[in-house]
Amino acid sequence: MGRMDDFNELAVPAAQQWLFACCASSRWAGLVAAGRPYADLADVLAAADAATAWLDWSEVRDAANAHPRIGRPPAGGGREDHWSRREQSGLDGASAAARAAIADADAEYERRFGHRFLVCASGLDEAQLLAAVRSRLGNGLRTERGVVREELRKITALRLGRLFDEPA
């Protein structure tokens, strides 16, 4: 039996727990879990995108705030912690000066928008991450909320792919 079959057969609370590792929104996890059974990852991703679109801003903000700050991946050993470290691995060789510049831009972003900076960091190095924070500081509130929702969607899709690819 494959991972998708296992997921489709889980009790609702267990399915929601699996999904919560991908997006820290109880409503999102509930919406995606309720759509089971899924035939394949493409079906799950479509349901995940639809569920992300249904979240109100406070739910998107809370899901964004559940992510570690850029440049400060978590030290824990859980699935989400492992994924976050992997996603931010482009900073592994960053200098102290680059990390400080990112931390300063990140703090300015949080003061301006009232939530954590969220970006799909997978494959980005320190220069790209710093440029992303700085460029988004120029966004208006409405524009930035749309960008955050899209970044959450991208991170969630990446994590869903990992969830169904990685061994149990």
Side-chain angles (χ1 to χ4, degrees):
M1 185 172 356
R3 296 275 288 177
M4 189 62 64
D5 292 331
D6 294 342
F7 173 68
N8 284 331
E9 293 177 9
L10 288 173
V12 171
Q16 290 173 323
Q17 184 178 354
W18 265 36
L19 293 164
F20 198 81
C22 299
C23 179
S25 165
S26 296
R27 186 157 83 105
W28 178 90
L31 289 167
V32 177
R36 293 175 305 147
Y38 294 107
D40 55 26
L41 180 58
D43 287 348
V44 177
L45 292 173
D49 287 354
T52 301
W54 277 100
L55 297 179
D56 64 33
W57 171 247
S58 67
E59 292 165 320
V60 171
R61 183 197 61 230
D62 291 348
N65 285 339
H67 286 263
R69 288 177 175 86
I70 292 297
R72 292 178 260 174
R79 178 182 279 156
E80 301 98 319
D81 297 329
H82 171 73
W83 287 342
S84 289
R85 283 190 301 276
R86 186 172 167 186
E87 291 158 5
Q88 292 195 36
S89 66
L91 292 173
D92 288 351
S95 68
R99 287 182 179 277
I102 290 169
D104 289 347
D106 190 53
E108 183 179 346
Y109 178 95
E110 285 191 39
R111 282 190 298 275
R112 172 152 165 53
F113 292 109
H115 57 84
R116 288 197 181 154
F117 174 73
L118 187 68
V119 66
C120 185
S122 195
L124 302 180
D125 65 20
E126 69 268 17
Q128 292 167 313
L129 288 168
L130 181 58
V133 180
R134 286 181 174 163
S135 73
R136 286 174 48 192
L137 282 166
N139 287 344
L141 187 59
R142 172 180 248 154
T143 297
E144 186 55 22
R145 285 181 175 184
V147 172
V148 171
R149 185 182 300 272
E150 175 59 15
E151 293 299 317
L152 180 63
R153 187 201 65 74
K154 290 190 300 190
I155 294 166
T156 300
L158 182 70
R159 290 180 173 193
L160 283 166
R162 288 181 181 146
L163 183 69
F164 289 103
D165 276 349
E166 293 177 353

